[in-house]
Amino acid sequence: MAAVTEEIPLAKALNAGLRAALAADEKVLLMGEDIGKLGGVFRVTEGLQEEFGTRRVIDTPLAESGIVGTAIGLAMRGYRPVCEIQFDGFIFPAFDQITTQLAKLTSRTAGAVQMPVVIRVPYGGHIGAVEHHQESPEAYFAHTAGLRVVSPSTPNDGYWMIQEAIASNDPVLFFEPKSRYWPKGPVDFSRSAAELHSTRVVRTGTDVTIVGHGAMVATLLAAAQVAAEEGVSIEVLDLRSLSPVDYAPILASVEKTGRLVVCQEATGFASVGSEIAATVAERAFYSLESPVLRVSGFDTPYPPSKIESFYLPDADRVLEAVDRALAY
Amino acid sequence: MADVSPTVQFLSIDGTFAPNEAAEEYLPFLDGLSDEDHRQFYRDMAITRRFDEECTNLQRQGQMGLWPPSHGQEAAQVGSARASRPQDVIFPSYREHAVALVRGIDVVDIVKVMRGVSMGGWDPTDPANGNFRNYCLVIGSHALHATGYAMGVQFDGLVATGNVERDIAVMAYFGDGATSQGDVSEAFVFSASNQTPQVFFLQNNHWAISVPVTTQSRTPLYLRPRGFGIPTVQIDGNDVLASYATTRKHLDDARSGRGPALIEALTYRIGAHTTSDDPTRYQTPEQLAHWVARDPIIRFAAYLRGLGASDAFFDEVQQEADDVSADVRHRTLELGPPALSAIFENVYSEPHPVMAEQQAWLDAYEASLKEGA
């Protein structure tokens, strides 16, 4: 099939992906706060209620546990609900339903009950937001068996991954990097670039491997560009899937470069980055020329937004870690 | 106190049929109950009581990790369960053994959960299991599943079609403690907002483990959902006819598109919360005696005797209950542990690399231990 490519922002790509999923399967429902007439606070669901009706694009009462809990019941009835949690920091009222019910119903019923539920979560910082509107809580969910956790970094991945997540018969936590909602990028509407749970090499290099997900990927590419101008060749991997992690491309890259820096906006302690660092140390020990290094948000609450740029890893902090890795 | 309704009761404590004023509007819902139906109610209650005692014994003998007794709550459960139609869908808490029995669950499947050989026990999608969903141990969380399911029933157009064989109502069982959970309030909100076809069946057994219902609420529990826009009724939960008639009406209403309702059944947990509990630490002998005198099975037996049931009937039911419990005991002792593959199977519906890898590791590790032996 010939490529049908258009330059659109991630928010519009997600909107197009949701539209395609709603059109393809009448069991797909969207549920969330302000997703109808308003189109969601980030306008990701703009126009969908008008097109598919209030029965399929549902403005729910303002209660996150209620949204996920009723989505579970709808899934038991054969529906495929896609829940929007308005902001990252507001997912916690639903934490019990997600971790004790949604994640466990398939194993509790020995496979008799499937939970094809997607939970969309705008996450991460860089947008000058107030408290609870800039967090990166993905590790809580990656820690829970029974859930799948993914995060697209580009409009193309947004368009395809949301449809693949909806098609999955397992629950998927779908983390959308909100600072990337607006920059445009090419979307090829003819075919998906990669399977949902695959990690991709987005820039090849030979000296150091850096891996990240979501909004971090743009920072990593910027860092790699600066490094190239200084004669350092960095290979950049977009994690895309946080649970399960697709280790083969990461290990292959580390075997080539001998050095790995794992980057994330989330706090570093007990994080997805910690897990990757530990696993690469276990599996690629003899390929490593330096310790695996991590660049993360600090192990603190997210700070006031006027100083968030000092909290969030930027290209300079990534390159500082690259320099340390190369110094071994 | 014009807004405080009296408690619906048909059978007085001594088993006399004496509907009170609150029961009058529910009288038509007893129409059509045959002698055999009445006897079935008794049979369900007596078998559950005997099964429940056997399970407590099995736990005491080390054959189960835990048992949550249903002793004392049989009338609330049997009446409401018998009022449901086959196509209705039931979301239990974890003490609804009589409801399970009525809906056709093999009660040994409940034992499997408490013995630690299965997480959920039964397949809720198997038609043999009467649309009885799995027990849910996080208090109140299943109330939202019931409401979501009922929303799905609405979306499927299976409400108010006028076809009583086809329209579906959903019923969620929970206790007085659960009413303090946020999820139960959120279920009321979503249910009222969507006018879902469902009945919330609240068994107020007066205790959340050791904490009395007065700690959960300073207002009678049946009044609370009215603030959410959900009609409610309080009933004598140890009167199986009150449970049957009120549930029948409100399930009928739900199926007919008249929205949700809540029934608060006043009952009492005669036994412990679970076999790990010691009710003598918090319950007075006087409280216990008060409720033992209101035993739902003794009351209904007296009613049946008044209708002409003979000793032979009661002997026959006792024999049947003994047979069920002997069968449960026999089959419980036969239940071995699940295969180790159960750890990894069905965590996900679709292939997952970590499950495959860790299962292969455990298999190899176990095999290596056997080689070394």
Side-chain angles (χ1 to χ4, degrees):
Chain A
M1 199 175 183
V4 185
T5 303
E6 204 182 321
E7 289 272 334
I8 55 172
L10 174 61
K12 288 214 183 307
L14 289 164
N15 180 275
L18 290 167
R19 178 179 288 105
L22 283 161
D25 183 351
E26 62 177 20
K27 294 294 185 187
V28 174
L29 307 172
L30 309 190
M31 318 168 58
E33 297 157 5
D34 307 294
I35 70 167
K37 281 210 171 84
L38 185 66
V41 295
F42 291 105
R43 308 294 182 267
V44 170
T45 56
E46 191 158 43
L48 297 179
Q49 188 181 63
E50 196 176 14
E51 188 171 341
F52 294 96
T54 54
R55 211 279 270 142
R56 301 204 48 210
V57 180
I58 305 166
D59 271 326
T60 65
L62 204 166
E64 289 79 9
S65 190
I67 293 169
V68 176
T70 54
I72 289 169
L74 281 158
M76 289 174 175
R77 184 71 201 164
Y79 286 89
R80 306 183 82 85
V82 182
C83 305
E84 176 174 307
I85 299 295
Q86 199 160 72
F87 281 92
D88 35 58
F90 299 152
I91 198 169
F92 298 104
F95 195 74
D96 171 62
Q97 287 288 350
I98 295 170
T99 57
T100 75
Q101 304 301 319
L102 183 64
K104 293 190 167 71
L105 268 154
T106 298
S107 58
R108 184 180 302 155
T109 58
V113 173
Q114 297 186 328
M115 281 289 125
V117 176
V118 175
I119 300 179
R120 295 181 38 241
V121 191
Y123 82 116
H126 300 287
I127 65 162
V130 293
E131 195 179 12
H132 316 301
H133 294 66
Q134 5 71 334
E135 298 171 12
S136 295
E138 60 270 26
Y140 292 106
F141 304 97
H143 185 72
T144 300
L147 302 175
R148 295 174 184 268
V149 185
V150 301
S151 180
S153 68
T154 65
N156 195 61
D157 273 351
Y159 176 75
W160 288 105
M161 288 170 74
I162 190 64
Q163 294 179 73
E164 290 155 1
I166 292 168
S168 170
N169 287 325
D170 290 317
V172 179
L173 272 288
F174 193 89
F175 283 95
E176 300 171 2
K178 67 171 91 80
S179 63
R180 305 302 301 172
Y181 272 146
W182 303 283
K184 287 185 179 178
V187 175
D188 179 351
F189 291 98
S190 65
R191 63 183 176 85
S192 170
E195 190 270 331
L196 181 62
H197 291 294
S198 59
T199 286
R200 296 186 69 210
V201 177
V202 291
R203 180 187 172 113
T204 55
T206 53
D207 297 334
V208 180
T209 301
I210 55 179
V211 57
H213 60 274
M216 201 70 223
V217 176
T219 303
L220 300 188
L221 287 169
Q225 186 59 40
V226 171
E229 287 157 15
E230 295 172 358
V232 175
S233 171
I234 291 180
E235 182 145 296
V236 180
L237 272 64
D238 179 357
L239 203 51
R240 298 173 82 252
S241 177
L242 315 185
S243 177
V245 172
D246 179 14
Y247 279 109
I250 302 172
L251 293 170
S253 181
V254 170
E255 280 159 19
K256 178 170 68 174
T257 63
R259 291 176 169 83
L260 176 65
V261 178
V262 186
C263 307
Q264 58 194 355
E265 287 186 32
T267 51
F269 187 80
S271 61
V272 171
S274 314
E275 183 59 33
I276 291 172
T279 302
V280 170
E282 280 179 3
R283 297 191 189 177
F285 186 74
Y286 288 110
S287 299
L288 287 168
E289 300 291 340
S290 74
V292 179
L293 300 179
R294 282 174 294 155
V295 181
S296 310
F298 297 110
D299 292 332
T300 66
Y302 202 92
S305 64
K306 289 298 183 200
I307 53 171
E308 72 179 342
S309 64
F310 296 89
Y311 173 88
L312 294 165
D314 59 9
D316 287 338
R317 263 165 65 185
V318 173
L319 291 171
E320 187 273 340
V322 166
D323 287 346
R324 275 192 287 136
L326 285 167
Y328 277 90
Chain B
M1 297 293 279
D3 61 341
V4 179
S5 310
T7 306
V8 173
Q9 186 191 59
F10 291 96
L11 296 178
S12 53
I13 295 166
D14 65 2
T16 309
F17 188 79
N20 63 11
E21 200 181 318
E24 275 170 21
E25 69 166 298
Y26 293 99
L27 264 170
F29 295 91
L30 295 180
D31 288 351
L33 277 184
S34 65
D35 278 0
E36 184 46 39
D37 291 330
H38 286 119
R39 289 174 186 224
Q40 187 62 46
F41 292 174
Y42 181 82
R43 197 176 281 119
D44 294 335
M45 293 196 290
I47 290 171
T48 304
R49 175 75 59 92
R50 183 70 188 84
F51 158 74
D52 181 68
E53 287 167 358
E54 194 65 25
C55 286
T56 293
N57 293 342
L58 282 162
Q59 194 281 334
R60 292 288 181 242
Q61 293 159 2
Q63 296 298 332
M64 266 190 270
L66 187 77
W67 183 252
S70 51
H71 190 135
Q73 300 179 214
E74 295 90 347
Q77 294 186 14
V78 167
S80 54
R82 282 285 165 200
S84 62
R85 288 185 168 274
Q87 74 270 24
D88 292 339
V89 180
I90 313 294
F91 286 78
S93 180
Y94 52 82
R95 201 189 296 282
E96 278 64 63
H97 313 321
V99 184
L101 181 88
V102 169
R103 295 297 297 192
I105 296 289
D106 176 354
V107 288
V108 174
D109 284 348
I110 307 175
V111 173
K112 287 178 186 168
V113 175
M114 306 298 168
R115 189 170 163 88
V117 303
S118 167
M119 294 309 289
W122 57 93
D123 174 356
T125 67
D126 182 340
N129 288 328
N131 298 323
F132 187 75
R133 309 301 300 199
N134 300 93
Y135 279 178
C136 188
L137 306 187
V138 180
I139 303 297
S141 57
H142 63 295
L144 278 167
H145 308 165
T147 297
Y149 194 99
M151 288 165 64
V153 166
Q154 287 179 301
F155 297 164
D156 291 341
L158 291 171
V159 185
T161 68
N163 183 343
V164 294
E165 307 295 330
R166 203 157 158 267
D167 285 345
I168 295 173
V170 176
M171 186 149 53
Y173 285 87
F174 51 84
D176 42 298
T179 63
S180 294
Q181 288 283 5
D183 277 2
V184 171
S185 284
E186 292 189 24
F188 293 157
V189 169
F190 278 68
S191 176
S193 181
N194 291 287
Q195 287 297 289
T196 50
Q198 74 180 120
V199 171
F200 295 97
F201 196 93
L202 160 57
Q203 292 170 88
N204 177 354
N205 73 9
H206 290 77
W207 296 102
I209 305 189
S210 65
V211 176
V213 64
T214 47
T215 301
Q216 311 297 339
S217 183
R218 293 297 298 267
T219 192
L221 288 173
Y222 77 97
L223 292 180
R224 202 190 277 168
R226 292 185 185 177
F228 293 82
I230 296 176
T232 68
V233 61
Q234 188 182 58
I235 68 168
D236 179 341
N238 285 3
D239 172 355
V240 71
L241 297 180
S243 178
Y244 175 84
T246 53
T247 308
R248 226 188 108 189
K249 175 190 163 27
H250 292 295
L251 285 176
D252 283 355
D253 283 354
R255 277 187 231 97
S256 312
R258 288 194 281 273
L262 177 135
I263 297 168
E264 181 193 11
L266 293 174
T267 182
Y268 199 77
R269 198 190 73 212
I270 296 293
H273 161 68
T274 69
T275 42
S276 303
D277 177 29
D278 174 9
T280 63
R281 287 182 178 228
Y282 52 83
Q283 174 187 246
T284 67
E286 293 74 26
Q287 284 172 316
L288 184 61
H290 174 87
W291 284 96
V292 167
R294 285 158 180 76
D295 187 299
I297 300 183
I298 294 170
R299 187 191 309 193
F300 200 60
Y303 171 68
L304 289 184
R305 284 188 190 279
L307 292 181
S310 65
D311 285 347
F313 165 72
F314 292 104
D315 291 347
E316 177 199 308
V317 172
Q318 190 57 51
Q319 187 57 53
E320 192 182 339
D322 288 344
D323 290 348
V324 167
S325 87
D327 176 60
V328 166
R329 166 170 289 272
H330 172 74
R331 290 197 288 142
T332 296
L333 300 181
E334 303 277 297
L335 288 174
L340 294 187
S341 59
I343 297 170
F344 306 101
E345 285 166 355
N346 303 309
V347 177
Y348 298 89
S349 291
E350 295 175 2
H352 192 284
V354 177
M355 297 302 102
E357 188 183 304
Q358 295 188 355
Q359 181 166 0
W361 184 90
L362 180 60
D363 290 347
Y365 177 72
E366 289 297 313
S368 75
L369 295 179
K370 278 173 194 144
E371 281 159 21

